[in-house]
Every structure is written in structure tokens, then in C-alpha cells.
Amino acid sequence: MTKDNVLKGVVLVGLGATSYGMLATFVKLAYGEGFTTAEITSSQFILGIIGILLINWFQKSKNKNKITRASFKNIIQLMLAGTSLGMTSLFYYLAVKYIPVSIGIVLLMQTVWMGVLLETILERKSPSKQKLISVVVVLFGTLLATNLLKTNINLDWRGILWGILAAASFTTTMFTANRVATEISSAQRSLYMLLGGSIIIFGFGLATQTTPYNFDIFLKWGIFLALFGTIIPPMLLNAGFPITGIGLGSIVAAIELPVSVMMAYILLKETVVLSQWLGIIIIILAIVIMNVKFKKSN
């Protein structure tokens, strides 16, 4: 593989992760205009499904019979996997409703140690020393990045709870997405996972939306949320990861963390102290430690 190809993969993964990093700030701005969680999530998924449908149609018309069509079993598996995708969006958006975006994204990054734990349970084998070190580093970085070491810090427990639940569901999403129906196109996989996720989103909306639905969300924020959360990132990440590999791709994708904090700092005027930046750097370092292959000396 040439250096140009690797660079292309790095750029694709970096842009995809950057798009995800912008998402929470848009959600927070939408909350500021009075939109509900149900309106925000439903608009994102509805417009996202329409966008992915168009991409599937374009790929099908361009490649005709070259695309492997999803079987009924594939569709059911992907829709079940997609329910965790819907829960991730829902829990994460509920989290940033109660806590700053800069804290919410740090809680979401707890997928690093949750992934190690889930892998240990499913594969029934002890994690390597390298992964254990990464877990310890992540937890230490989280203490700094969430500013929990300050005794006067006062975070809403609801935001912390939703943030941890978002990380847990995102961990499930990553595991299932990389193992279910990998033989079909990424556009088809994205479509059926979104359809599965929409069941969770619409169910939540029906249960919680007590005021008349404000359709202004579609034009004001729905397009941004669908583009940066549902359409662009999956396409870029699915195109970039096969080139970079999981290790390098995961390191590059960690750019989502500082991008999210920077967006919150610039657009939302959230206070981010030096110790929090240090914590963010430490978490990124943990991701690097977990994915870099160290050469053993003779």
C-alpha cells in the first residue's frame, strides 16, 4: 500500500471523525432554541434515512448488478444492531442537555475501556497488558477531562448517567457494526441500521413529546444533524478504515474528542480549563497505546 493511499485513508477518517465532533454543539444550539430531544433525534434520522436511500439508489443505478443485495437475514441482523445506534444518539443528546458538551464527549469516549471489557466477556480471554494500561490511562484522563478533581464542581447526575449509557450503547454499536453483514455495501448497512435505530427514536418521541411537534427543526437543524451525524461520517469512515486499518484509523478518529471540545469552547463559550485539556490529551494517548504495535526486542 502506497503512502498516498494511507494519507487518503487518514484524511477520510479524520474528516469523518471531525463531522461527528461537531454534532453535539449543533444539538446544544437546537436545545437553546427550544427544540425537544424527540424533535432533534427524529429530524436527524428521517433526513438521514432519505439521504442514505438516495445514495443507495445512486450506487445501484451506477453499478447495476455488481452490488450484493442484502438478504432478509442481513436486514433483520442490521436492524437489531441499529437499535443500539438509535440509543447512542438518544442517550448522548440527553446527556448534553444536562451537562456541557466538553464533558459529554469525554463520557462517550469511555468506549475505550468498555470495549476492552466487552471483548473480555465475549471472547473469554484476559486483556493484554497493553490494553490494561490503556484502560488505566483513560480513567485517569477522564478524571482530569471532566474536572472531577475539583471539589467545587457540580455536574448534573442525569447528564453523567445518560453519558455513560451512551458510551455503553456506542460500544455495542461498534462491535456489531464490524461483525454483521460485512459482505454488503456500507450504504446498505447504514440504511438498515438507521431503520433499526429509528424504531428507538420514534418510540421515544411518541412517549415523551407532549407539545405540538415543531417542524421548523427540519430546516433549522435537521439538515446539519443528518449530514454531520448520519450521512457524511459513516460514508467517510467506511471508506477510510479499510485503507488505514483499525489501529491507525482508531488513532486518527480520536480527533473527534478535541474537535468537539473546541466547537463547544468557540460556539457555546463553554469553560475548558488547562487540566481538562491535559485529560483530553491523556485519553488520546491511551487510544494510541491501545492501537500501536510495539516491537519486542530479542
Side-chain angles (χ1 to χ4, degrees):
M1 187 178 292
T2 64
K3 289 184 178 180
D4 288 341
N5 279 337
V6 174
L7 179 61
K8 178 183 176 182
V10 167
V11 171
L12 289 171
V13 172
L15 289 174
T18 299
S19 296
Y20 269 138
M22 297 178 180
L23 199 57
T25 297
F26 294 145
V27 171
K28 200 81 169 180
L29 290 170
Y31 277 138
E33 294 185 7
F35 293 108
T36 65
T37 306
E39 290 165 348
I40 291 168
T41 52
S42 61
S43 65
Q44 177 184 332
F45 271 71
I46 290 171
L47 293 177
I49 289 170
I50 293 172
I52 295 295
L53 273 172
L54 291 173
I55 292 171
N56 273 282
W57 174 81
F58 176 76
Q59 288 185 346
K60 186 177 179 181
S61 61
K62 183 180 179 181
N63 299 314
K64 295 184 178 178
N65 297 326
K66 294 180 182 179
I67 295 179
T68 303
R69 296 185 65 180
S71 65
F72 179 75
K73 182 181 178 182
N74 290 152
I75 294 172
I76 296 300
Q77 288 177 331
L78 287 167
M79 288 186 68
L80 285 173
T83 56
S84 64
L85 180 66
M87 285 188 282
T88 301
S89 296
L90 181 60
F91 295 157
Y92 187 40
Y93 294 175
L94 285 169
V96 298
K97 185 176 183 179
Y98 298 108
I99 57 177
V101 169
S102 55
I103 304 296
I105 186 63
V106 170
L107 293 176
L108 188 65
M109 296 303 286
Q110 302 310 297
T111 52
V112 175
W113 65 263
M114 288 184 180
V116 173
L117 179 61
L118 184 60
E119 185 181 53
T120 302
I121 295 171
L122 294 179
E123 299 185 5
R124 296 180 180 179
K125 65 178 183 180
S126 300
S128 64
K129 290 182 180 179
Q130 189 173 337
K131 289 183 177 180
L132 288 174
I133 291 170
S134 298
V135 168
V136 173
V137 174
V138 164
L139 293 174
F140 177 66
T142 300
L143 284 175
L144 293 175
T146 53
N147 215 16
L148 289 177
L149 295 177
K150 293 288 183 69
T151 55
N152 60 343
I153 192 74
N154 186 24
L155 293 176
D156 194 316
W157 66 269
R158 291 172 295 182
I160 296 174
L161 175 63
W162 289 123
I164 294 297
L165 287 174
S169 59
F170 190 41
T171 303
T172 306
T173 301
M174 289 192 297
F175 263 75
T176 55
N178 291 324
R179 288 165 171 77
V180 177
T182 54
E183 67 276 11
I184 65 175
S185 67
S186 60
Q188 287 185 83
R189 295 174 75 240
S190 297
L191 174 62
Y192 295 122
M193 287 187 75
L194 279 175
L195 289 173
S198 66
I199 296 172
I200 301 296
I201 297 302
F202 296 151
F204 173 81
L206 290 172
T208 62
Q209 186 72 17
T210 56
T211 57
Y213 192 94
N214 189 348
F215 287 94
D216 289 345
I217 186 67
F218 284 92
L219 290 178
K220 285 191 173 182
W221 295 108
I223 295 173
F224 286 103
L225 295 170
L227 282 174
F228 289 101
T230 309
I231 299 173
I232 295 176
M235 300 303 293
L236 292 179
L237 294 175
N238 284 327
F241 265 101
I243 302 174
T244 62
I246 296 296
L248 177 59
S250 298
I251 294 169
V252 175
I255 195 175
E256 176 187 352
L257 182 53
V259 166
S260 185
V261 176
M262 281 296 297
M263 287 285 289
Y265 178 75
I266 295 170
L267 296 182
L268 301 176
K269 309 299 181 185
E270 288 188 2
T271 301
V272 185
V273 298
L274 183 60
S275 62
Q276 288 178 273
W277 284 115
L278 180 59
I280 289 166
I281 293 170
I282 289 173
I283 292 173
I284 294 173
L285 176 63
I287 296 170
V288 173
I289 292 172
M290 183 176 288
N291 290 285
V292 168
K293 293 181 179 180
F294 297 99
K295 292 182 179 179
K296 292 183 179 179
S297 58
N298 294 324

